[in-house]
């Protein structure tokens, strides 16, 4: 019988994770079947005990359970503990062990697509202070020790995330207008907000005209492949990166935790673009 894997969260019907993991299982001749398990907020405790009983070997966790699941696991990896969220769980010997591969997934995409930026220890601006922002900002602060400033609509969340990053690097909390005025201080600017998705698809989260030439603009959103933020950055001549490499690398890192195999990522990105993201 095939080993069971899956994704828990709600809503999850749009997820590309089954396409990605089932493609890799086939590609590497590994016995596995990855399915969507819709789990509403109030059903998490029951769902986790069912997963244990059903001996699901590994699963991903998404909205709204990434933080709530921590207290239901037998062990949580140190980086996930610092981030305060888990997106990947391994079941071994009846124990559930939680990890967070989102931030490392972003970093690996950056390393592959723009290695020269990493080598220069860039100053970074993270726009947003939600769950994805925590993973990305804390991973970059811990891995690179570079300045990581945070700006967010809700100031208290920017202050809290900046304080957490401050344990590993220099970090300030900013308002949007402050960030726009001092955009020339950053070599990398990352939009982690959901502005760029409908109904905010036509708005760039901040104005970019103060950025120095060569500043890299990244967005965690991958559908649309170019948000208004990235379109504006490209119009001004800047290099850009969308969230697809993060999606694929966070999945590849999860796949490695479950199977011991780190799968090929560029072919997967092209496969997802061709099959699901052409429009
Ligand atoms: P959260 O709900 O945790 O955070 C949302 C963030 O967006 C907050 O900072 C919020 O600000 C901000 N925001 C939302 N609406 C507005 C608005 N109208 N004006 C200003 N700020 C706004 O979501 P996540 O962090 O989980 O996800 C954020 C984005 O990252 C999503 O687009 C998601 O698709 C993407 N993502 C991509 C991944 C990938 O693999 N590529 C992985 C995970 C996420 P406030 O705090 O003020 O509410």
């Amino acid at each position: 019988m095939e080993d069971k894997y899956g994704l828990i969260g709600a809503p999850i019907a749009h997820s590309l994770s089954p396409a990605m993991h089932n493609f890799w299982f086939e590609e590497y001749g590994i016995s596995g079947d990855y399915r969507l398990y819709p789990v509403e907020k109030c059903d998490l405790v029951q769902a986790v005990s069912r997963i244990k009983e059903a001996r699901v070997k590994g699963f991903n966790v998404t909205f709204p359970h990434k933080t709530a699941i921590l207290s239901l696991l037998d062990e949580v990896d140190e980086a996930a503990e610092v981030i305060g969220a888990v997106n990947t769980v391994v079941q071994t010997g009846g124990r559930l062990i939680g990890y967070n591969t989102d931030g490392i997934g972003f970093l690996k995409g950056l390393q592959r697509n723009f290695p020269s930026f990493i080598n220069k220890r860039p100053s970074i601006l993270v726009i947003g202070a939600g769950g994805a922002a925590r993973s990305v900002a804390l991973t970059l602060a811990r891995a690179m020790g570079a300045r990581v400033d945070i700006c967010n609509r809700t100031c208290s969340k920017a202050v809290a995330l900046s304080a957490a990053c401050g344990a590993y690097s220099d970090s300030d909390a900013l308002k949007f207008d402050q960030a726009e005025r001092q955009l020339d201080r950053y070599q990398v600017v990352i939009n982690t907000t959901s502005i760029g998705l409908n109904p905010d698809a036509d708005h760039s989260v901040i104005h970019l005209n103060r950025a120095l030439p060569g500043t890299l603009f990244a967005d965690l959103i991958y559908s649309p492949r170019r948000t208004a933020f990235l379109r504006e950055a490209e119009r001004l001549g800047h290099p850009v990166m969308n969230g697809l490499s993060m999606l694929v690398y966070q999945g590849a890192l999860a796949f490695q935790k479950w199977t011991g195999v780190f799968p090929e990522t560029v072919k997967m990105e092209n496969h997802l673009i061709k099959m699901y993201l052409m429009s």
Side-chain angles (χ1 to χ4, degrees), residues 63 66 102 127-134 151-155 157 176 191-195 197 200 205 219-222 242-244 246-248 250:
F63 183 85
K66 280 186 176 180
D102 281 333
I127 308 169
R134 283 192 69 82
C151 74
N152 191 48
R153 176 179 61 178
T154 306
C155 291
K157 283 167 69 180
F176 280 157
N191 175 38
T192 73
T193 74
S194 44
I195 300 179
L197 296 173
D200 294 313
V205 61
D219 202 314
L220 302 198
I221 295 171
Y222 52 84
N242 72 14
L244 184 60
M246 173 178 174
L247 173 80
V248 172
Q250 65 75 31

Side-chain angles (χ1 to χ4, degrees), residues 175-194:
K175 294 182 176 162
F176 280 157
D177 59 333
Q178 276 177 293
E180 282 175 346
R181 280 200 302 276
Q182 63 176 58
L183 211 54
D184 55 1
R185 294 188 188 175
Y186 305 102
Q187 287 81 52
V188 178
V189 179
I190 307 163
N191 175 38
T192 73
T193 74
S194 44

